[in-house]
Amino acid sequence: MIYADIIVDISHEKLDRSFQYRVPKELEAEIQLGMVVTIPFGNGNHERKGYVTGLSDKPAFDISKMKELHGICSSEETTEERLIALAAWMKNRYGSTMVQALKTVLPVREKVKAKEKRYIVLNMDAAAAEQLAAELESGRCKARARLVRALLKEKKLDYTKASRELGMTASVIRPLVDQGAVLVTQDEVYRMPVDGSDIPREQLSMLTETQEAALLQIQEEWKQETPRPVLIHGVTGSGKTQIYMKLIQQTVNEGKQVIVLIPEIALTYQTVRRFYGWFGDKVSVLNSRLSQGERYDQFKRAKRGEIQIMVGPRSALFTPFSRLGLIIIDEEHEQTYKSENSPRYHARETAEYRAQMENARLVMGSATPSLEAYTKAKDGEYRLVKLEARYEDRPLPEVTVVDLREELKNGNRSILSRSLKTAVERRLERGEQSVLFLNRRGYAGFVSCRSCGEALKCPHCDVALTEHNNGKLVCHYCGYEQPRVEKCPMCGSPYIGGFKAGTQQIEQVLRKTFPKARVLRMDYDTTRTKGSYEKILSSFAEHKADILVGTQMIVKGHDFPDVTLVGAIAADLSLNAADYRCAERTFQLLTQAVGRSGRGRKAGEAIIQSYHPDHYSIQAAAKQDYEAFYQEEMAYRMLMDYPPAAHMLSVLASGEDEKLLEQGMDYLAKFVERISGKYRVHVIGPAYASVGKVNDIYRKVLYLKHKDERVLQDIKNKTEKYIEVNSGFRKLYIQFDYT
DNA sequence: AGCACGCCGACT
DNA sequence: GTCGGCGTGCTC
């Protein structure tokens, strides 16, 4: 006897789990993981669709109460099945549940139905409704009267909103529907995220010689029997985009479809415009601001073959194309390609798998490839294509690294070094623009005591509080607020204050130092409202300001031809993050920043301020020398057994009970040591996670390192089982992640 | 989501 | 007692 775990295709959080059904004898040979089946469900035994998420020969439920599944839906939806197979792979690779993997791969199914616009409307005129309401009130039907009254005020009510805000349940609404008093309707109109119809069509521009050579190499690889993924290593401004466009065009001409992944931050109106300009209505663009409904519409259009090209962030990878021919990942090194939620998949790996599964090609590009990808390219797993020349042979900007320690020794306590100050002055005189950025990733403008060194922390989240302009101290995790303090709560010293390194402070310094300059600020605070991001960028592009100051978001992918100076205020803020990738991130950011200078006809300059001017990531970035950085960084990773030299698995546990968490993690660490003895796995921790406490939930983490990924996978599977059978872990939430 | 169950106030 | 509204909980 075979039993199948099935996820019911109904959209509700309550049904977010699987149910077990008997598989009829005649279907035993045929049934497979990921298939769509029909099942009787619920009290009325309504027939519904479900997905097979597990098969077993042992029942996990009282057999006398178990129903038998009806049949297999003939695989009309082959794309869907392939995506379910992808989900199954993700489940194994990243260690999530099948439900979570399915939800990631088929957001269509549950999210859509949940968000599908259903409305309640009156089915009678106002007078009749008024009478009905009165009748219902005089009777005992208070809830129904409430609904009718609400409908009199607002003739179209959102179904879910109505049930939440008015406390309606189906048993209130249904009798009214049966009675014919109201109607439940739903509209199904495509909502276009961006209307591309008014954007003029453009011809693809001619390729330069170097671009043409790169294109030929890629096409040559595609002619191989089993084409490898291609990694384009092209310096900033070498024109990778033009190559992508040619490849997309070629693929579409072959009658196949294309997915283009772009980091969220680069999905600006400019980018979207370019795609529409080149490919018109063959393209659809996704972004995270789209509602679930809008997103679903675009997926549906893709499934029906109405579009051939999908552009979007990480999640666009799951576009249900049936004839997928090419996946492009731009800015392959970007952190956003790694999902933060379970399954914590990486878009590069997952794209590689999907491409292989569907016989599609994969092309990645970056000016600063991730160590993982570049290592694979070096090992011949990926085909490496280099694109060295800068577009129109523009020279690289001249880079100066300023030692901030020297500045302090010479009595300059300002955020601006003397060289940066004079450089900005020169731009102002010449009417050119400057960009100054502060890499505050993972860093907050904390308040600390200069006498005991203690920083003020959030009582719930154990992270440093950030000082805002209004004088309040705010926790960026949970939103906790407290007024500014005059004395250090630890030692009573009055010497307590902020570390003045936020973009706001820099903006103030700039305004004071250059009173005539027009300064624009762009950071998380100024880009929160809709459209403000584009507004700031376009007003700077139109030269309505002289200086743009902001966080790293300003150095990603925007072309400002009049910018001839880029300054990194404190390059080493990111170097001090508690993460083995901090040098890589610093190098990437600085390289990108330097590349932003001198994109127009005028020569550019870049100034990097740092307390570690000799660090290889800063030196290599200054010289735009990727290879030098790669050698140094790879040596460090090999020495320390960090990825990609070895593989690393993190086990993150969280729970409300700190004692229990501590005990559980210690047990887990011992268990892992015991079962991994013969493999010599390196176990680190357990330690508190970098954010040790969020909303009163404690978090601890354990790291495992080993050269062979399969060893870690084996340990992960065994640990998962151990956790499952041990009731001591019931109250802990445990997540695995390959970092 | 959709169904049964059971509680509770109103009326025979 | 009984009837019906309406919240609650379960679905293999």
Side-chain angles (χ1 to χ4, degrees):
Chain A
M1 200 63 187
I2 295 183
Y3 305 92
D5 297 316
I6 287 160
I7 292 173
V8 184
D9 184 18
I10 300 176
S11 46
H12 221 147
E13 286 103 31
K14 293 279 168 62
L15 287 164
D16 179 26
R17 61 198 182 91
S18 63
F19 295 89
Q20 203 167 39
Y21 283 81
R22 292 196 309 269
V23 179
K25 276 265 154 6
E26 64 273 20
L27 295 177
E28 273 184 9
E30 205 186 327
I31 195 137
Q32 263 177 22
L33 215 74
M35 274 182 164
V36 184
V37 291
T38 49
I39 46 160
F41 189 74
N43 264 312
N45 277 333
H46 277 259
E47 182 155 285
R48 304 203 174 270
K49 273 189 182 178
Y51 300 102
V52 180
T53 61
L55 290 166
S56 147
D57 50 3
K58 285 190 200 82
F61 189 78
D62 185 356
I63 311 185
S64 62
K65 287 184 191 155
M66 203 187 292
K67 296 177 190 172
E68 193 165 71
L69 64 86
H70 283 168
I72 294 172
C73 294
S74 58
S75 32
E76 10 125 17
E77 297 169 304
T78 44
T79 14
E80 215 132 289
E81 278 186 25
R82 262 185 256 150
L83 284 174
I84 291 167
L86 185 65
W89 175 82
M90 286 166 76
K91 170 205 144 80
N92 280 332
R93 176 70 181 79
Y94 301 105
S96 67
T97 64
M98 191 63 195
V99 185
Q100 288 169 320
L102 272 179
K103 278 179 143 189
T104 311
V105 168
L106 308 168
V108 183
R109 179 179 59 92
E110 51 93 38
K111 290 195 178 151
V112 142
K113 289 221 173 144
K115 281 262 164 147
E116 197 168 76
K117 284 285 168 194
R118 291 168 75 202
Y119 298 100
I120 311 171
V121 287
L122 268 182
N123 195 25
M124 48 174 57
D125 58 52
E130 185 64 47
Q131 199 191 332
L132 177 67
E135 250 171 58
L136 289 167
E137 264 155 13
S138 66
R140 293 159 301 253
C141 314
K142 279 180 291 173
R144 289 180 207 181
R146 238 184 306 148
L147 179 63
V148 177
R149 288 257 179 248
L151 281 169
L152 273 166
K153 232 188 265 167
E154 224 174 312
K155 51 189 172 188
K156 210 172 178 187
L157 279 179
D158 191 289
Y159 191 99
T160 40
K161 219 166 132 192
S163 47
R164 206 179 15 230
E165 282 169 23
L166 298 165
M168 297 287 133
T169 54
S171 45
V172 178
I173 300 166
R174 211 153 28 82
L176 282 171
V177 176
D178 293 343
Q179 191 183 323
V182 301
L183 282 177
V184 174
T185 61
Q186 42 189 297
D187 48 18
E188 214 196 291
V189 200
Y190 285 156
R191 284 142 293 188
M192 282 291 202
V194 178
D195 185 11
S197 54
D198 62 327
I199 295 172
R201 297 295 302 271
E202 272 175 56
Q203 286 290 307
L204 291 184
S205 56
M206 291 285 287
L207 295 187
T208 63
E209 234 169 83
T210 28
Q211 290 168 346
E212 195 67 50
L215 183 68
L216 274 174
Q217 286 185 61
I218 297 169
Q219 285 163 336
E220 180 194 292
E221 182 66 36
W222 284 6
K223 280 182 197 133
Q224 304 295 313
E225 201 170 318
T226 47
R228 294 171 287 170
V230 173
L231 174 66
I232 306 177
H233 177 206
V235 296
T236 324
S238 57
K240 293 185 291 287
T241 315
Q242 276 87 333
I243 298 179
Y244 298 152
M245 295 303 164
K246 288 278 178 196
L247 295 173
I248 294 169
Q249 196 177 42
Q250 181 185 337
T251 311
V252 171
N253 287 345
E254 286 167 9
K256 300 230 174 139
Q257 295 149 330
V258 185
I259 292 171
V260 184
L261 300 189
I262 289 184
E264 183 74 47
I265 196 140
L267 271 172
T268 57
Y269 184 66
Q270 274 183 43
T271 320
V272 174
R273 232 190 120 85
R274 284 163 94 188
F275 273 96
Y276 278 119
W278 280 313
F279 299 108
D281 56 8
K282 288 198 185 76
V283 191
S284 178
V285 182
L286 293 180
N287 69 57
S288 64
R289 295 233 173 103
L290 290 187
S291 70
Q292 293 297 342
E294 289 170 321
R295 196 188 134 91
Y296 174 59
D297 289 345
Q298 299 316 312
F299 271 9
K300 199 139 117 193
R301 292 179 69 206
K303 199 169 155 183
R304 292 193 185 150
E306 293 173 22
I307 53 166
Q308 312 306 319
I309 305 158
M310 182 65 93
V311 182
R314 185 176 72 216
S315 58
L317 180 56
F318 306 113
T319 307
F321 278 136
S322 54
R323 284 167 288 117
L324 183 65
L326 171 65
I327 302 174
I328 287 174
I329 306 180
D330 191 26
E331 306 294 338
E332 161 279 325
H333 63 275
E334 279 290 328
Q335 233 73 55
T336 50
Y337 287 129
K338 175 79 157 57
S339 172
E340 299 283 317
N341 311 317
S342 189
R344 301 175 156 244
Y345 69 96
H346 196 294
R348 189 194 326 114
E349 292 173 343
T350 312
E352 204 177 328
Y353 187 79
R354 183 168 183 196
Q356 190 199 329
M357 202 169 62
E358 304 192 24
N359 256 327
R361 287 123 178 196
L362 174 62
V363 172
M364 298 160 276
S366 172
T368 51
S370 64
L371 282 235
E372 281 81 1
Y374 203 70
T375 303
K376 282 193 173 183
K378 287 217 149 192
D379 293 348
E381 242 180 275
Y382 294 168
R383 166 79 180 241
L384 183 63
V385 173
K386 292 214 178 198
L387 204 56
E388 311 255 10
R390 246 190 152 197
Y391 192 56
E392 287 177 359
D393 287 327
R394 280 182 207 135
L396 283 172
E398 190 186 308
V399 186
T400 319
V401 181
V402 175
D403 189 341
L404 286 176
R405 295 170 303 188
E406 287 295 316
E407 290 292 315
L408 199 65
K409 262 190 214 160
N410 289 312
N412 179 14
R413 305 175 123 232
S414 158
I415 297 172
L416 298 177
S417 65
R418 287 158 302 170
S419 4
L420 186 55
K421 197 179 154 197
T422 43
V424 173
E425 265 163 12
R426 220 174 298 143
R427 307 303 127 164
L428 291 172
E429 282 162 21
R430 288 195 224 139
E432 293 168 7
Q433 289 178 301
S434 312
V435 166
L436 300 184
F437 89 99
L438 185 71
N439 173 26
R440 297 209 329 155
R441 185 180 210 131
Y443 173 87
F446 56 82
V447 172
S448 62
C449 172
R450 270 166 234 167
S451 120
C452 72
E454 213 62 46
L456 286 180
K457 289 186 172 180
C458 169
H460 307 293
C461 302
D462 200 28
V463 294
L465 295 170
T466 309
E467 188 173 21
H468 274 216
N469 244 4
N470 58 15
K472 280 197 173 142
L473 301 176
V474 180
C475 168
H476 267 229
Y477 279 83
C478 72
Y480 168 84
E481 273 189 21
Q482 69 168 62
R484 203 205 321 243
V485 291
E486 303 297 334
K487 272 187 194 168
C488 171
M490 302 289 175
C491 70
S493 156
Y495 297 107
I496 185 156
F499 185 93
K500 302 279 185 229
T503 40
Q504 285 185 17
Q505 283 86 349
I506 294 172
E507 187 191 7
Q508 281 170 8
V509 170
L510 287 170
R511 286 191 195 280
K512 224 180 266 171
T513 321
F514 312 106
K516 282 189 195 144
R518 295 163 298 169
V519 183
L520 258 183
R521 177 165 63 95
M522 183 157 148
D523 54 21
Y524 181 70
D525 284 335
T526 59
T527 53
R528 282 169 90 152
T529 51
K530 226 187 195 169
S532 53
Y533 184 86
E534 282 83 5
K535 221 185 270 169
I536 295 174
L537 287 178
S538 64
S539 76
F540 189 64
E542 288 160 19
H543 214 136
K544 286 181 185 157
D546 306 301
I547 305 171
L548 177 64
V549 53
T551 50
Q552 56 267 13
M553 64 171 80
I554 63 177
V555 301
K556 306 217 172 184
H558 314 290
D559 268 342
F560 303 113
D562 284 344
V563 170
T564 56
L565 173 68
V566 169
I569 302 282
D572 21 27
L573 282 182
S574 63
L575 258 183
N576 297 326
D579 175 356
Y580 73 88
R581 282 193 171 99
C582 57
E584 185 179 358
R585 219 161 35 219
T586 305
F587 171 75
Q588 287 164 352
L589 269 168
L590 292 178
T591 307
Q592 264 172 10
V594 169
R596 289 291 137 219
S597 185
R599 295 291 290 249
R601 241 157 266 132
K602 292 163 227 156
E605 186 186 351
I607 292 178
I608 301 172
Q609 303 191 140
S610 171
Y611 289 96
H612 301 277
D614 301 326
H615 194 278
Y616 60 87
S617 65
I618 293 174
Q619 285 297 324
K623 295 188 192 105
Q624 300 269 296
D625 187 347
Y626 179 82
E627 199 64 39
F629 170 77
Y630 177 81
Q631 296 300 341
E632 286 266 5
E633 181 67 7
M634 203 55 203
Y636 159 74
R637 305 272 175 108
M638 298 224 289
L639 185 73
M640 300 297 296
D641 267 345
Y642 279 129
H647 294 277
M648 198 150 107
L649 173 69
S650 74
V651 186
L652 179 73
S654 47
E656 284 175 42
D657 186 342
E658 194 178 6
K659 263 262 153 57
L660 191 78
L661 176 68
E662 232 156 71
Q663 269 176 5
M665 276 310 250
D666 285 341
Y667 270 127
L668 218 55
K670 278 196 198 107
F671 173 78
V672 170
E673 297 240 8
R674 200 165 61 234
I675 61 164
S676 67
K678 61 173 186 263
Y679 298 124
R680 307 231 322 261
V681 168
H682 199 154
V683 182
I684 308 158
Y688 277 99
S690 55
V691 180
K693 191 181 174 192
V694 176
N695 275 327
D696 290 322
I697 292 180
Y698 293 89
R699 290 145 43 93
K700 286 196 111 176
V701 67
L702 192 67
Y703 289 103
L704 312 179
K705 285 195 292 197
H706 197 269
K707 297 258 184 229
D708 191 345
E709 188 156 33
R710 284 167 303 179
V711 170
L712 291 181
Q713 264 170 24
D714 183 44
I715 290 178
K716 191 204 80 190
N717 291 337
K718 283 181 180 146
T719 312
E720 266 177 339
K721 278 199 190 113
Y722 178 69
I723 290 166
E724 223 177 276
V725 294
N726 247 297
S727 56
F729 293 105
R730 271 291 129 76
K731 288 190 172 165
L732 298 179
Y733 178 61
I734 295 172
Q735 273 179 300
F736 294 88
D737 187 11
Y738 293 97
T739 35

